[in-house]
């Protein structure tokens, strides 16, 4: 997902200055996001006080994402939870579109007030596949990691094809007040990562999802 950078820091600063407080600015951003009409194949998220627009994923990214979805679907089959893709996760006038997330299969009770997505409190696990390019990597590795911690998402997994030999990062114990995590565990491809809690407890992310260990 190569971001189309919003080259408008001055404009965003001016909007923030005109607002009396952060909640006013968040509301302005929220209304702007809701009103956006994007060309087919693009999506928009609200991440740390900015609207970010990105195209759909390239082939290698989609390959890993689909492996995650299929494996989680099989793991969760028959229960009340499911793997979701292409759906907004909403938290306090923020909107994110994770590559995959686990929430109740029936999300109707968990819709936000505008029915634009699923409220973050219903989400137990988020998986992001890191995209190429410095700006995208910063978004997936750092800024969205902070946002998910702020929202109290119990478990985050980042699959990173661009980290040396390829890596999987497991974050648990969100600290919303610090925008951080109690535990961050990172391993290279070839080492299994097991989800420790929640509906996907016991789900393994290994070579069948990431591809083989790299030399």
């Amino acid at each position: 997902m190569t971001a189309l950078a919003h080259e408008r820091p001055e404009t965003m600063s001016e909007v923030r200055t005109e607002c009396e407080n952060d909640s006013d600015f968040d509301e302005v951003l929220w209304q702007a996001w809701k009103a956006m009409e994007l060309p087919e194949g693009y999506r928009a998220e609200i991440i740390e006080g900015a609207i970010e627009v990105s195209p759909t994923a390239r082939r290698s990214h989609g390959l890993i994402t689909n492996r995650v979805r299929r494996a989680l679907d099989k793991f969760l089959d028959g229960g009340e939870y499911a793997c979701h893709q292409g759906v907004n996760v909403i938290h306090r006038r923020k909107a994110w579109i994770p590559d995959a997330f686990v929430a109740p299969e029936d999300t109707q009770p968990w819709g936000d007030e505008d029915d634009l997505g699923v409220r973050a409190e219903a989400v137990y696990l988020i998986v992001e596949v890191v995209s190429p390019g410095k700006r995208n990597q910063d978004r997936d590795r750092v800024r969205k990691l902070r946002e998910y911690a702020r929202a109290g998402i119990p478990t985050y997994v980042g699959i990173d094809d661009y980290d040396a030999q390829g890596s999987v990062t497991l974050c648990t114990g969100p600290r919303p007040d610090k925008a951080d995590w109690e535990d961050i565990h990172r391993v290279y491809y070839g080492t299994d990562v097991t989800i420790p809690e929640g509906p996907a407890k016991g789900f393994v992310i290994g070579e069948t999802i990431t591809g083989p260990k790299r030399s």
Side-chain angles (χ1 to χ4, degrees):
M1 300 175 298
T2 304
L4 299 182
H6 277 210
E7 297 179 352
R8 52 174 188 176
E10 295 82 10
T11 303
M12 297 302 290
S13 298
E14 289 167 5
V15 171
R16 185 180 292 277
T17 300
E18 291 174 3
C19 296
E20 293 182 359
N21 52 52
D22 285 344
S23 62
D24 290 340
F25 177 75
D26 289 343
E27 184 64 27
V28 169
L29 211 59
W30 175 256
Q31 295 302 329
W33 176 78
K34 289 201 300 179
M36 293 182 72
E37 295 185 7
L38 297 174
E40 185 176 354
Y42 286 83
R43 65 185 196 172
E45 301 174 281
I46 304 175
I47 305 172
E48 294 197 328
I51 296 175
E52 297 197 17
V53 178
S54 55
T56 52
R58 61 175 62 190
R59 183 203 60 81
S60 57
H61 183 286
L63 182 66
I64 295 175
T65 299
N66 286 328
R67 286 173 181 165
V68 169
R69 177 187 54 78
R70 289 195 299 269
L72 275 170
D73 279 341
K74 184 176 180 180
F75 185 86
L76 297 167
D77 187 43
E80 61 180 301
Y81 297 94
C83 178
H84 301 269
Q85 279 184 318
V87 179
N88 297 313
V89 172
I90 307 294
H91 178 70
R92 297 179 182 175
R93 298 306 198 235
K94 305 294 191 300
W96 314 301
I97 309 176
D99 290 314
F101 67 91
V102 172
E105 183 173 16
D106 179 11
T107 57
Q108 193 277 332
W110 298 102
D112 69 293
E113 61 188 26
D114 296 307
D115 199 31
L116 295 173
V118 178
R119 300 198 308 274
E121 55 262 39
V123 177
Y124 289 86
L125 166 68
I126 278 179
V127 179
E128 292 281 10
V129 179
V130 175
S131 299
K134 184 179 185 305
R135 179 182 175 85
N136 302 324
Q137 290 167 7
D138 177 69
R139 177 195 64 221
D140 294 336
R141 293 171 179 168
V142 181
R143 290 182 289 115
K144 290 187 86 171
L145 203 68
R146 291 194 295 249
E147 289 282 60
Y148 295 146
R150 290 187 185 102
I153 303 296
T155 305
Y156 167 87
V157 173
I159 301 174
D160 194 341
D161 249 6
Y162 305 96
D163 178 18
Q165 301 168 358
S167 68
V168 179
T169 300
L170 172 67
C171 300
T172 55
R175 302 174 64 191
D177 57 328
K178 302 291 186 182
D180 202 356
W181 301 80
E182 292 287 350
D183 186 68
I184 299 177
H185 180 64
R186 173 174 163 270
V187 301
Y188 288 121
Y189 286 2
T191 300
D192 289 348
V193 170
T194 304
I195 305 302
E197 59 184 22
K201 180 178 180 179
F203 178 73
V204 175
I205 297 175
E207 291 187 27
T208 56
I209 291 174
T210 65
K213 178 180 179 180
R214 297 175 181 173
S215 58

